[in-house]
């Protein structure tokens, strides 16, 4: 079994400097405040052929990550340690979906920030974020009844406890889960957002299902007027296929849960990159167990290319009750399905709903589109969206032995980035500074893989390691101390 090793703390060049050289900084303005991207300060990776404790390939890890509460702390010589929880999606499904049980993995890490301007080689750079696999938790609908990654070609009728649930086949008691977002709760339970429903599930500390949140009618996928959760084809109404709740986050006190569709619903122009820009953000009050009313809904305008093609989003993170980080990107880079090495857009951007129209409980939650054919209803004001951290900045990548575009090798930036975790730098001199940790989803691509106990070699023909980037950012709108409290620091 191949285990991921934990690199020892390293001191490289100006590791102990206060921060990066200001010549590397970029800024963004939102809500009258200046946000600063101080640059890339850490890089690591998990080998594509690594295995979990069940002997399965450790892949798809960047679908969602979260810092385990109470674990992040400052170490010696300017280093930081903590435990990262990573949640893959539905297993190795490049060729077809498989009966793979949803799960999360625990990793211990050591971050040794590198603030220098000198270019590190790839192997040296990878020592700035050492990471070691620890354990795996499997998800179940009930004890002894695992979840499945198989396409949701059927459903389980609603009960007094649960709504209609996606299922892998007629008569199946399993639920089909394509896990994406992850929020950890103080009681050990956790929220997971899903693509099939798209639903939001709360699992207990032991991985057993406790609760299900079903979104409004406007989001539920239908074909011929009936619920149809398949991911094989786009529905006639509701969320597009494989474009469910990619983004999931919570307020710092854990009382409000936010979820964002990857792109627009079908009735709002979904299914076409030229018209699927206007996606929807939802907020639920989750302060009372078992009672989760929708308390807000807003339209978020996703970025588009010069040719008018939408860059779908893959993750969000709440900074305040109205401001969020959002990860929007293309799918090019190492592991791209179409073997396109050059990426055009991978960014951790910002959006603000302060002045946006709250459409929850209106006609737009029913059959009425909010953006028919991609044209936003004139009565609706969308969120304010601004670019922020550019993952493709060559000045940053080259400092860590990475690059964009050819050659296609392990030093090429990964194609799919889908997760955020935020931690304070724990320096009283810079109380608004944070480490933004982001991890890629490698789609389980390896030439030496194992899925459901059977070996496989991905047709991509190369190992695609799971890359991890760490940025240092200044976030002036975040209430001081709120991130530390939410992490149990």
């Amino acid at each position: 079994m191949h285990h991921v090793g934990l690199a020892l703390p390293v001191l490289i060049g100006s590791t102990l400097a206060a921060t990066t050289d200001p010549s590397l900084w970029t800024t963004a303005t939102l809500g009258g405040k200046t946000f600063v991207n101080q640059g890339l300060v850490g890089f690591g990776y998990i080998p594509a052929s690594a295995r979990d404790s069940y002997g399965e390939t450790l892949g798809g890890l960047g679908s969602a990550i979260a810092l385990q509460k109470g674990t992040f702390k400052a170490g010696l010589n300017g280093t930081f340690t903590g435990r990262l929880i990573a949640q893959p999606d539905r297993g190795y499904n490049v060729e077809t979906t498989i009966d793979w049980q949803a799960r999360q993995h625990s990793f211990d890490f050591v971050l040794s920030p590198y603030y220098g301007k000198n270019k590190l080689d790839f192997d040296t750079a990878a020592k700035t974020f050492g990471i070691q696999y620890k354990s795996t938790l499997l998800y179940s609908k009930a004890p002894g009844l695992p979840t499945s990654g198989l396409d949701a070609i059927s459903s389980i009728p609603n009960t007094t406890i649960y709504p209609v649930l996606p299922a892998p086949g007629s008569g199946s008691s399993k639920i089909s889960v394509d896990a994406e977002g992850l929020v950890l709760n103080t009681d050990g339970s956790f929220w997971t957002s899903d693509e099939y429903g798209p639903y939001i599930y709360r699992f207990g500390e032991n991985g057993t299902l406790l609760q299900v949140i079903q979104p409004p009618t406007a989001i539920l996928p239908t074909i011929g007027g009936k619920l149809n959760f398949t991911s094989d084809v786009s529905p006639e109404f509701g969320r597009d296929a494989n474009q469910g709740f990619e983004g999931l986050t919570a307020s710092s006190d854990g009382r409000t849960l936010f979820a964002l569709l990857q792109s627009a619903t079908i009735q709002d122009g979904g299914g076409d990159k030229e018209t699927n820009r206007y996606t929807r953000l939802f907020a639920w009050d989750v302060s009372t167990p078992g009672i989760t009313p929708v308390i807000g809904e807003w339209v978020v305008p996703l970025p588009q290319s010069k040719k008018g093609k939408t860059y779908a989003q893959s993750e969000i993170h709440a900074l305040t009750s109205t401001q969020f980080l959002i990860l929007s990107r293309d799918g090019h880079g190492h592991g791209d399905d179409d073997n396109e090495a050059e990426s055009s857009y991978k960014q951790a951007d910002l959006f603000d709903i302060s002045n946006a129209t709250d459409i929850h409980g209106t006609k737009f939650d029913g059959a009425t589109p909010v953006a028919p054919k991609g044209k936003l209803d004139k009565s609706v004001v969308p969120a304010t969206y601004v670019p922020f951290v550019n993952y493709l900045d060559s000045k940053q990548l080259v400092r860590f032995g990475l690059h964009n575009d050819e050659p296609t090798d392990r030093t090429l930036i990964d194609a799919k980035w889908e997760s955020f975790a935020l931690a304070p730098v724990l320096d009283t001199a810079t109380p608004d500074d944070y480490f933004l940790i982001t991890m890629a989803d490698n789609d389980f691509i390896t030439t030496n893989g194992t899925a459901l106990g059977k070996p496989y070699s991905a047709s991509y023909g190369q190992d695609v390691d799971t890359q991890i980037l760490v940025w240092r950012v200044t976030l002036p709108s975040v209430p001081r101390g709120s991130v530390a409290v939410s992490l149990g620091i």
Side-chain angles (χ1 to χ4, degrees):
M1 186 179 298
H2 186 173
H3 290 286
V4 183
L6 183 66
L8 295 175
V10 291
L11 301 180
I12 304 169
S14 54
T15 299
L16 298 181
T19 186
T20 55
D21 189 291
S23 65
L24 296 171
W25 296 5
T26 60
T27 62
T29 301
L30 183 65
K33 295 185 177 181
T34 300
F35 295 72
V36 183
N37 165 23
Q38 298 180 28
L40 192 59
V41 299
F43 165 69
Y45 69 90
I46 298 167
S49 59
R51 306 282 202 273
D52 67 18
S53 56
Y54 293 90
E56 300 283 294
T57 292
L58 274 170
L61 300 170
S63 284
I65 60 173
L67 285 167
Q68 182 69 58
K69 295 182 185 300
T71 66
F72 187 78
K73 60 187 67 175
L76 299 174
N77 300 317
T79 63
F80 300 84
T81 61
R83 175 161 291 188
L84 201 63
I85 308 300
Q87 176 184 265
D89 44 23
R90 53 181 174 174
Y92 178 65
N93 64 97
V94 174
E95 298 171 4
T96 184
T97 58
I98 61 175
D99 192 19
W100 195 78
Q101 189 171 3
R103 64 197 67 192
Q104 63 178 234
H105 307 291
S106 298
F107 295 87
D108 284 348
F109 67 86
V110 177
L111 168 63
S112 305
Y114 173 63
Y115 296 127
K117 294 181 68 175
N118 293 336
K119 300 175 184 178
L120 304 178
D121 63 76
F122 179 87
D123 291 327
T124 301
K127 295 177 182 178
T128 60
F129 193 89
I131 187 165
Q132 182 179 45
Y133 168 77
K134 301 301 292 184
S135 62
T136 295
L137 174 68
L138 301 176
Y139 299 178
S140 300
K141 180 174 180 283
L145 188 60
T147 64
S148 176
L150 287 168
D151 188 39
I153 59 174
S154 187
S155 60
I156 300 172
N158 65 297
T159 66
T160 56
I161 301 175
Y162 300 135
V164 177
L165 296 174
S170 178
S172 175
S173 297
K174 291 185 176 182
I175 57 172
S176 294
V177 175
D178 184 359
E180 294 297 344
L182 176 66
V183 169
L184 305 181
N185 299 318
T186 55
D187 65 358
S189 68
F190 55 92
W191 297 101
T192 293
S193 62
D194 154 81
E195 294 240 71
Y196 285 127
Y199 285 171
I200 299 173
Y201 300 104
R202 184 167 71 92
F203 292 91
E205 192 171 10
N206 64 354
T208 301
L209 184 65
L210 299 176
Q211 184 180 351
V212 181
I213 296 178
Q214 184 184 60
T217 300
I219 309 305
L220 299 176
T222 60
I223 297 177
K226 297 181 179 180
L227 278 177
N228 193 315
F229 298 111
T230 183
S231 63
D232 276 352
V233 296
S234 292
E236 297 166 354
F237 184 89
R239 66 100 181 105
D240 193 12
N242 297 303
Q243 300 282 299
F245 283 138
E246 280 275 344
L248 185 71
T249 187
S251 56
S252 60
D253 61 8
R255 297 172 65 87
T256 305
L257 197 65
F258 299 91
L260 183 65
L261 284 177
Q262 188 167 5
S263 64
T265 62
I266 292 298
Q267 66 270 26
D268 293 335
D272 186 334
K273 288 186 177 181
E274 293 184 355
T275 58
N276 68 347
R277 181 186 188 193
Y278 293 107
T279 190
R280 303 195 196 196
L281 173 74
F282 292 87
W284 288 269
D285 180 350
V286 294
S287 59
T288 303
I291 303 174
T292 53
V294 176
I295 58 173
E297 179 183 352
W298 305 268
V299 174
V300 178
L302 297 173
Q304 292 185 308
S305 69
K306 293 179 180 178
K307 295 182 178 180
K309 304 287 187 180
T310 300
Y311 295 118
Q313 69 83 24
S314 293
E315 180 63 299
I316 56 173
H317 191 94
L319 302 179
T320 70
S321 61
T322 61
Q323 291 185 348
F324 302 79
L325 284 164
I326 178 171
L327 203 171
S328 298
R329 61 169 179 83
D330 61 19
H332 305 321
H334 204 204
D336 176 31
D337 296 338
D338 299 320
N339 289 305
E340 290 193 34
E342 185 177 12
S343 297
S344 298
Y345 201 99
K346 298 187 196 303
Q347 297 198 174
D349 294 331
L350 299 161
F351 73 88
D352 191 323
I353 58 173
S354 297
N355 298 316
T357 305
D358 183 353
I359 63 172
H360 93 277
T362 69
K363 61 182 180 181
F364 301 122
D365 271 347
T368 303
V370 73
K373 298 181 180 180
K375 301 294 183 182
L376 187 62
D377 189 286
K378 293 181 180 180
S379 68
V380 176
V381 177
T384 301
Y385 190 110
V386 296
F388 185 34
V389 177
N390 180 9
Y391 288 25
L392 305 177
D393 185 337
S394 60
K395 291 188 299 183
Q396 302 292 346
L397 293 179
V398 73
R399 293 173 52 236
F400 286 81
L402 300 168
H403 70 276
N404 183 22
D405 205 355
E406 298 289 353
T408 299
D409 59 20
R410 66 196 304 235
T411 68
L412 173 64
I413 188 169
D414 278 354
K416 298 181 179 180
W417 294 84
E418 301 190 357
S419 55
F420 287 145
L422 197 65
V425 300
L426 301 177
D427 185 347
T428 56
T430 54
D432 295 329
D433 282 10
Y434 300 86
F435 293 119
L436 177 61
I437 305 170
T438 182
M439 183 183 287
D441 172 1
N442 74 341
D443 277 343
F444 294 79
I445 297 174
T446 177
T447 58
N448 181 28
T450 299
L452 303 182
K454 297 180 180 180
Y456 71 85
S457 179
S459 59
Y460 187 71
Q462 288 189 27
D463 279 353
V464 178
D465 298 328
T466 297
Q467 295 177 353
I468 304 150
L469 299 176
V470 184
W471 304 81
R472 180 160 172 158
V473 293
T474 303
L475 306 173
S477 66
V478 176
R480 292 179 179 177
S482 62
V483 174
V485 170
S486 70
L487 292 176
I489 299 175

